[in-house]
Amino acid sequence: MSSDPFAPPPPPAFPVPRHPWHSEQTQYRVKVQPFSRLPEEVTVQKISFDRDFDAYHRAYENGQSSCFPRRRRPDPSKPVDPECQERAQRRAKTRVRLHVTELAPEALVTFTTRETMPLEALLSCWQHFTRLLRHNGIEYEYVAVPERHPSNPDHLHLHVAYRGETNFSMLRRLWHIALEARHGRRVSAILRGADSPGNIDVQKVKSRDQIRKIRKIARYISKYITKDLISEFNQKRYWPSKGIDLQSARVYWLDSLNAVDAIKEACILVGQWDHEIGMPGQNLFNPSDRVCWFAVDPDRTPPPF
């Protein structure tokens, strides 16, 4: 049991809507995503049961025994549904952002190659590089996302958010060893000029404090999850290191039946409502009418009531 008297109650083992879904077809829930090193994120979502209601009604009218057809394995010869592709992109971007936030990276770097190679070859070189890191006793936790070069779509490079040792001379040497090993060549030092098979470019991320820097890196690297990455690379959308243990989000259904009341109820639930001014104690991000979220800012957190 939590020792914090103002902490929100633990969610039920199987959270269910507060209202019957067939009478209130639009309801709200809040997801609280905890992190090991950073304050939690809170997401208020509008959940529509219109599709379920229509399916049950249609099954009843047609005398069907099941409301939803059995899912079949997708036909690879058919074009991908753009709506499904967009949903997959949103899910992948969110997963990458959450994994990077849990990682709490110290830096953002780009691993480049002089040679144009397919994704499988790039992944093989990356795996060789990480094995070399472990062999040399270097602690290196990361989330890597491949991206096409803007002027040459066939050329891939890697954006990597990482925490660990920052001896870039050592990292470049091991990266060159991994790239040259693909052709059976053995090197022991950093290759320069025209002989260099690739490089590691450090991306400067400016921010007022470490928490904002981590969140900025997480947003920055998640934007590289593009639609063509989803459709062509399938499951190889990003490569996280082992040991990034993203905790499960806590889910609470809300009593409120409109967005304004739902946001207030969610903020009160997690202790982020400023009762003196009657407003949330955080800056809210509201990208659409179905979702609103904020990352808890310790500097702006009001005292709980």
Side-chain angles (χ1 to χ4, degrees):
M1 188 173 181
S2 175
S3 59
D4 184 358
F6 303 112
F14 301 98
V16 294
R18 298 288 186 88
H19 309 280
W21 62 266
H22 50 79
S23 60
E24 297 293 346
Q25 295 177 32
T26 300
Q27 300 187 42
Y28 290 84
R29 71 182 182 189
V30 58
K31 294 177 66 176
V32 182
Q33 177 63 60
F35 299 103
S36 300
R37 301 179 180 92
L38 267 71
E40 58 199 10
E41 290 184 3
V42 181
T43 306
V44 181
Q45 298 173 305
K46 180 171 75 172
I47 307 299
S48 174
F49 294 99
D50 290 343
R51 181 187 174 194
D52 302 80
F53 183 84
D54 292 342
Y56 276 97
H57 183 73
R58 187 166 54 250
Y60 176 79
E61 292 286 331
N62 298 332
Q64 298 172 344
S65 58
S66 176
C67 299
F68 299 103
R70 180 178 296 180
R71 290 186 177 181
R72 298 179 179 178
R73 187 182 299 272
D75 186 353
S77 63
K78 293 184 178 180
V80 180
D81 182 9
E83 184 178 350
C84 294
Q85 192 174 15
E86 185 176 349
R87 287 199 299 267
Q89 181 187 14
R90 287 200 302 265
R91 288 195 300 269
K93 288 171 73 75
T94 299
R95 295 296 296 176
V96 167
R97 186 180 60 80
L98 294 179
H99 273 83
V100 175
T101 305
E102 173 62 26
L103 173 66
E106 298 166 350
L108 175 65
V109 296
T110 301
F111 286 71
T112 63
T113 65
R114 183 181 295 274
E115 177 187 5
T116 299
M117 61 180 71
L119 181 71
E120 290 73 15
L122 182 62
L123 174 58
S124 177
C125 291
W126 178 254
Q127 291 172 337
H128 190 177
F129 170 75
T130 56
R131 286 196 300 270
L132 291 171
L133 290 172
R134 291 192 297 271
H135 180 73
N136 285 271
I138 299 176
E139 297 292 334
Y140 198 84
E141 298 178 275
Y142 62 87
V143 175
V145 176
E147 190 216 9
R148 298 186 184 282
H149 193 279
S151 59
N152 183 3
D154 293 331
H155 197 137
L156 297 167
H157 49 244
L158 282 174
H159 297 287
V160 180
Y162 81 94
R163 59 180 294 111
E165 297 192 21
T166 55
N167 186 334
F168 287 105
S169 294
M170 172 67 79
L171 297 183
R172 285 189 178 94
R173 184 173 73 86
L174 298 182
W175 182 234
H176 287 182
I177 292 174
L179 292 175
E180 290 295 285
R182 178 169 180 260
H183 300 287
R185 295 190 288 264
R186 298 184 64 180
V187 298
S188 59
I190 298 175
L191 302 178
R192 307 288 183 180
D195 293 330
S196 174
N199 196 17
I200 299 178
D201 300 320
V202 182
Q203 307 293 325
K204 294 182 179 180
V205 181
K206 297 181 180 180
S207 189
R208 287 185 294 170
D209 55 53
Q210 187 64 19
I211 291 179
R212 288 181 176 85
K213 180 179 179 180
I214 291 170
R215 289 172 173 161
K216 194 172 184 179
I217 292 175
R219 292 194 302 271
Y220 186 86
I221 201 170
S222 65
K223 77 177 184 180
Y224 291 109
I225 301 292
T226 57
K227 287 185 179 180
D228 66 317
L229 189 73
I230 295 293
S231 60
E232 182 176 346
F233 296 163
N234 197 13
Q235 297 301 319
K236 300 173 183 177
R237 298 160 187 170
Y238 63 97
W239 309 329
S241 62
K242 295 181 180 179
I244 303 178
D245 186 16
L246 183 63
Q247 304 175 56
S248 299
R250 305 191 302 272
V251 179
Y252 306 87
W253 285 89
L254 302 174
D255 287 319
S256 304
L257 294 175
N258 63 70
V260 174
D261 291 343
I263 291 172
K264 178 179 179 180
E265 183 181 351
C267 289
I268 292 175
L269 178 68
V270 297
Q272 298 298 312
W273 183 261
D274 193 327
H275 290 263
E276 291 186 2
I277 61 176
M279 292 181 63
Q282 305 284 153
N283 286 328
L284 304 180
F285 179 65
N286 189 204
S288 71
D289 62 348
R290 64 178 186 82
V291 66
C292 170
W293 72 272
F294 60 87
V296 174
D297 184 350
D299 296 335
R300 299 194 59 194
T301 300
F305 287 80

